[in-house]
Amino acid sequence: MGATFKGGIHTYDGKELAKDKATALLLPKGEMVYPMSQHIGAPAKPIVAKGDYVLAGQKIGEAVGAVSANVICSVSGTVKAVEPRLTAAGTMVESVIVENDGEYKTIENFGAKRDYQKLSKEEIRDIIKEAGIVGLGGAAFPTHVKFTPKDDNKIEYVIVNGAECEPYLTSDYRMLLEEPEKVISGLKIELSLFPNAKGIIAIEDNKPEAIAKVKDLVSKESKIEVRVLKTRYPQGGERVLIYALTGRKISSRILPFEVGCIVSNVCTAIAVHNAVAENTPLINRIITVTGDAVKDPGNFNVRTGTNYNELLEAAGGFKNKPAKVFSGGPMMGQAIYSTDIPVSKTTSGLVAFLEDEVEEFDTTACIRCGRCVEVCPSRVIPQKMYEYAAHSDAENFVKIDGMECCECGCCSYVCPAGLRLTQSFKQMRKSVLNSRKK
């Protein structure tokens, strides 16, 4: 019996479309676009100008403020412009545009091997910061900030999140099969920052091959274990994952380090290994391109800045015009209206469907069945939250803990009335957060 949490749902996961497809390397051909905001926190500041020649591995955007992240160029070429460009979020973001020369020249010492055991904690954290690493599971929180808690000695668990509960996405699974040594190395580097911590690699039980492979590799590691999770969405959410593994509860007012936990994604652990042990900053992402509208679904090793259309071309393009396209997965991803956008650090998948099932539902009044409450992993009351959100009643929305919503979409998934619950919560939470900033 795997570890789990209260609530959640069992969805059709669609992973069979891409899970057995080995990761293919995709080298971009067209212009590269690097948004300065690919993370939580302040946007990076462009430090190159039109006409500059840049190299793969070169910093082109510098972190600003306490919570921010560097942006690294992934190709060599000439800067065409620094201007706003469209992103997956539907917003125009200041970006550096580079004309890829196809030569992929790199900065000095790029890829040089390095022994992390000879580095101090401060040096490791500085390397991670300079490499522009952020959480690659979706939240995109700057990793060097996450790895700098108030007291290193109070961290008891460093968790690598290999749940990958989001339907259709299989990139983390492929990395657990193809590069498990790098995942483990990244975790060891993370553990070196926290003297009292044990490492946990958490994997859902629908990935038996990955579980067996990683278990074998860590069998002689005294500080690392593999924990099997019950397959349930959203098992990979940071809060529910920590609860499932440790029994410790966190909320929007508590950060994981306050309960002795640090969580990083599988690909984040690999990025830490690459930066610290191989002197390679974050310039690529493993992305699943899938869905019933895609001709040849698969997993791709893609350089940041690459246009989504090149990704689609590598997967054979669309069978027919899709009714719905997501950047990310169908539960927590962002529906997009254009594929003329760049791959960023936050891109985990590109999922396209021939039918829009949600659009086909006719919404009716809430029947107060309570299903949304039963499945909510945050233990809030979606029905009341929806009522307050519909009336723009931010005060009462906050009073009933609406800000604890993790926007997982479980409530919308089970609602027999077809109400757009999660969408209304996202809008209300964003409004509250914006008002707090003011």
Side-chain angles (χ1 to χ4, degrees):
M1 183 73 175
T4 192
F5 63 100
K6 296 178 181 178
I9 56 176
H10 293 278
T11 66
Y12 165 63
D13 66 17
K15 293 183 186 288
E16 74 280 356
L17 294 174
K19 75 180 182 70
D20 295 323
K21 302 286 185 71
T23 305
L25 180 64
L26 172 61
L27 290 177
K29 299 185 288 286
E31 72 172 19
M32 311 293 285
V33 178
Y34 302 94
M36 292 294 101
S37 184
Q38 301 183 39
H39 51 267
I40 287 177
K45 176 185 176 182
I47 56 174
V48 293
K50 183 179 179 180
D52 289 352
Y53 187 77
V54 292
L55 300 169
Q58 180 178 334
K59 181 165 61 174
I60 57 176
E62 189 165 50
V64 176
V67 181
S68 186
N70 293 333
V71 176
I72 311 297
C73 192
S74 61
V75 299
S76 57
T78 304
V79 176
K80 289 176 61 178
V82 179
E83 63 187 23
R85 286 293 184 94
L86 182 68
T87 66
T91 55
M92 300 294 286
V93 174
E94 186 81 348
S95 305
V96 172
I97 293 85
V98 175
E99 186 63 45
N100 178 12
D101 63 12
E103 296 184 21
Y104 302 101
K105 296 176 184 176
T106 63
I107 58 172
E108 190 176 356
N109 293 323
F110 183 92
K113 302 294 183 183
R114 182 163 46 194
D115 184 356
Y116 79 88
Q117 293 178 318
K118 295 179 180 178
L119 301 172
S120 68
K121 291 182 183 182
E122 291 71 22
E123 287 173 322
I124 290 174
R125 288 181 172 119
D126 190 55
I127 289 167
I128 290 170
K129 178 181 179 181
E130 285 302 304
I133 300 174
V134 301
L136 300 179
F141 191 84
T143 301
H144 69 279
V145 180
K146 179 180 282 190
F147 288 174
T148 313
K150 293 178 181 178
D151 187 349
D152 294 346
N153 295 309
K154 291 187 177 179
I155 302 302
E156 298 175 62
Y157 298 100
V158 178
I159 301 165
V160 171
N161 183 356
E164 196 166 45
C165 60
E166 181 75 28
Y168 289 87
L169 302 188
T170 57
S171 53
D172 287 352
Y173 172 69
R174 292 310 311 176
M175 289 299 97
L176 287 169
L177 289 181
E178 295 173 24
E179 297 192 343
E181 295 87 358
K182 287 188 177 182
V183 177
I184 295 163
S185 173
L187 176 54
K188 286 182 177 180
I189 293 168
E190 295 169 17
L191 285 170
S192 73
L193 301 173
F194 310 109
N196 300 321
K198 291 184 177 181
I200 298 174
I201 300 175
I203 309 173
E204 282 192 329
D205 60 12
N206 63 349
K207 305 172 181 66
E209 297 92 345
I211 292 168
K213 191 160 193 173
V214 180
K215 272 190 173 181
D216 181 60
L217 289 171
V218 302
S219 60
K220 296 180 181 179
E221 298 288 344
S222 60
K223 294 187 69 175
I224 299 175
E225 66 171 321
V226 174
R227 292 282 301 277
V228 178
L229 303 165
K230 188 174 180 181
T231 300
R232 180 181 292 176
Y233 178 84
Q235 184 74 264
E238 190 171 63
R239 296 183 202 175
V240 296
L241 182 67
I242 289 172
Y243 177 78
L245 294 173
T246 71
R248 300 175 186 186
K249 298 179 181 179
I250 61 172
S251 68
S252 64
R253 296 177 290 273
I254 300 174
L255 292 171
F257 77 81
E258 295 179 72
V259 295
C261 298
I262 299 283
V263 180
S264 63
N265 170 263
V266 164
C267 289
T268 308
I270 292 175
V272 168
H273 163 85
N274 289 341
V276 178
E278 299 188 13
N279 202 36
T280 304
L282 181 57
I283 62 170
N284 69 295
R285 278 249 25 176
I286 310 301
I287 298 173
T288 305
V289 185
T290 187
D292 62 9
V294 177
K295 284 184 180 177
D296 188 16
N299 303 285
F300 300 89
N301 185 334
V302 186
R303 301 210 177 197
T304 54
T306 302
N307 192 280
Y308 273 40
N309 287 323
E310 291 194 50
L311 256 180
L312 283 169
E313 183 183 339
F318 293 132
K319 296 174 183 175
N320 290 299
K321 184 178 179 180
K324 198 82 167 183
V325 181
F326 290 93
S327 176
M331 293 300 289
M332 293 193 74
Q334 180 78 43
I336 56 176
Y337 60 86
S338 171
T339 52
D340 186 18
I341 52 177
V343 168
S344 74
K345 299 175 189 179
T346 60
T347 308
S348 56
L350 180 57
V351 185
F353 298 115
L354 293 172
E355 296 181 14
D356 185 350
E357 295 182 13
V358 174
E359 192 175 53
E360 295 171 4
F361 292 154
D362 290 325
T363 60
T364 63
C366 171
I367 61 172
R368 301 181 186 277
C369 63
R371 292 182 191 176
C372 58
V373 178
E374 290 176 3
V375 301
C376 178
S378 296
R379 319 312 297 164
V380 291
I381 308 174
Q383 179 266 325
K384 292 298 291 182
M385 288 162 55
Y386 182 74
E387 182 181 321
Y388 292 133
H391 292 89
S392 300
D393 187 347
E395 183 180 351
N396 279 314
F397 182 87
V398 172
K399 275 185 180 178
I400 62 167
D401 288 329
M403 298 306 288
E404 296 304 316
C405 171
C406 63
E407 301 178 7
C408 65
C410 289
C411 53
S412 296
Y413 187 86
V414 301
C415 179
L419 298 175
R420 311 295 194 259
L421 299 170
T422 308
Q423 183 179 342
S424 69
F425 303 156
K426 283 184 178 182
Q427 292 170 343
M428 179 56 78
R429 291 179 78 248
K430 187 175 182 179
S431 175
V432 171
L433 290 171
N434 286 338
S435 66
R436 287 176 179 175
K437 287 178 184 178
K438 293 176 183 177

